């Protein structure tokens, strides 16, 4: 198995790079953001529970998020590997992910951070706003999500860095060049 975490703020290009990675390495893509959006859209019990918190741009509790992720991973016992996107966002989530991978006799082999500064993310989003003309509540939510990343989620990085599992790629530049960098890292894992 090959298991990778893709890390980075909203607007870093995680979605684009995820697609390339899952194709090239035949990985099962697990995005907790997409899973939560599916649940809210389909009005499931879980969706009802997390709707408000998601709408505010805050993080869902670890208990709920970890349980959902575990259930999803267990749906794919035949997977040749996973690409985790948007998870973990707290150290507690990172520790649970290690335990979960251990229970599958596997591990998280590498964590790839798409490094984009807060300033660059805000510039990208302001440009996007000028084009899309998003409503203000969307804007507010996005601002909150960016703050959540730079205030809270980044604290997961030292957890992996201390264990020599963190690789950082400059997320600013041409999409294909960034992919080449990412592939090089994955090939070396
Ligand atoms: P994303 O698309 O990854 O930015 O996720 C959208 C929203 O889902 C976030 O703003 C959170 O409310 C929630 N969410 C997604 N992943 C997590 C996670 N790992 N921990 C807590 N909340 C999450």
């Amino acid at each position: 198995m090959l298991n990778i975490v893709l890390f980075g703020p909203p607007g870093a290009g995680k979605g684009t790079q995820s697609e390339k990675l899952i194709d090239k390495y035949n990985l099962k893509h697990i995005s907790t953001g997409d899973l939560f959006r599916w649940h809210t859209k389909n009005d499931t019990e879980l969706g009802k529970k997390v709707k408000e918190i998601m709408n505010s741009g805050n993080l869902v509790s670890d208990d709920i998020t970890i349980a959902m992720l575990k259930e999803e991973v267990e749906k794919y016992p035949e997977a040749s590997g996973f690409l985790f996107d948007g998870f973990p966002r707290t150290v507690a989530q990172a520790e649970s992910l290690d335990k979960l991978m251990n229970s599958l006799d596997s591990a998280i082999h590498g964590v790839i951070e798409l490094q984009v500064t807060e300033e660059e993310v805000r510039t990208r989003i302001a440009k996007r706003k000028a084009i899309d003309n998003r409503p203000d509540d969307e804007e507010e939510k996005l601002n909150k999500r960016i703050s959540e990343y730079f205030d809270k989620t980044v604290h997961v990085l030292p957890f992996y860095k201390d264990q020599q599992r963190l690789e950082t790629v400059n997320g600013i530049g041409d999409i294909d060049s960034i992919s080449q960098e990412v592939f090089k890292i994955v090939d070396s894992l």
Side-chain angles (χ1 to χ4, degrees):
M1 266 185 128
L2 170 68
N3 303 306
I4 298 167
V5 170
L6 191 60
F7 213 89
K14 288 200 301 291
T16 310
Q17 297 300 334
S18 290
E19 280 182 23
K20 291 174 185 277
L21 278 168
I22 57 173
D23 274 1
K24 186 166 162 72
Y25 297 96
N26 188 27
L27 304 174
K28 174 72 197 145
H29 183 204
I30 297 193
S31 153
T32 43
D34 285 351
L35 288 170
F36 280 134
R37 276 184 287 276
W38 184 88
H39 280 284
T40 51
K41 201 173 144 216
N42 290 281
D43 214 21
T44 65
E45 280 308 308
L46 176 59
K48 285 180 197 144
K49 249 192 234 171
V50 301
K51 192 172 185 169
E52 226 167 274
I53 189 127
M54 280 187 78
N55 280 341
S56 66
N58 285 297
L59 293 184
V60 176
S61 74
D62 283 340
D63 284 0
I64 292 180
T65 309
I66 292 166
M68 178 182 71
L69 179 102
K70 192 164 179 274
E71 201 183 305
E72 188 67 13
V73 166
E74 287 171 350
K75 278 186 197 161
Y76 303 95
E78 306 296 326
S80 56
F82 292 98
L83 174 67
F84 297 100
D85 167 0
F87 186 98
R89 270 160 140 115
T90 63
V91 172
Q93 291 182 11
E95 288 169 345
S96 311
L97 186 58
D98 281 340
K99 272 196 206 135
L100 181 59
M101 292 296 109
N102 275 339
S103 75
L104 302 176
D105 283 330
S106 195
I108 292 296
H109 301 98
V111 177
I112 302 172
E113 175 199 7
L114 286 179
Q115 196 171 55
V116 179
T117 59
E118 184 164 358
E119 201 190 350
E120 168 73 14
V121 169
R122 293 198 184 276
T123 308
R124 286 185 189 181
I125 284 162
K127 273 191 202 153
R128 215 192 274 175
K129 194 196 174 203
I131 298 166
D132 298 352
N133 203 9
R134 289 175 183 237
D136 285 349
D137 60 336
E138 277 285 308
E139 182 71 5
E140 211 175 285
K141 181 172 147 187
L142 203 46
N143 274 324
K144 180 72 191 164
R145 285 171 60 206
I146 294 168
S147 304
E148 285 282 19
Y149 180 83
F150 288 101
D151 294 345
K152 293 188 187 162
T153 307
V154 286
H155 298 302
V156 177
L157 293 173
F159 173 85
Y160 289 116
K161 192 166 184 221
D162 291 348
Q163 301 170 13
Q164 276 97 39
R165 285 192 288 172
L166 180 68
E167 298 286 348
T168 299
V169 171
N170 182 358
I172 303 177
D174 164 67
I175 290 176
D176 287 332
S177 316
I178 297 171
S179 297
Q180 290 312 316
E181 281 296 303
V182 171
F183 294 164
K184 234 191 270 168
I185 291 169
V186 175
D187 289 337
S188 72
L189 293 175

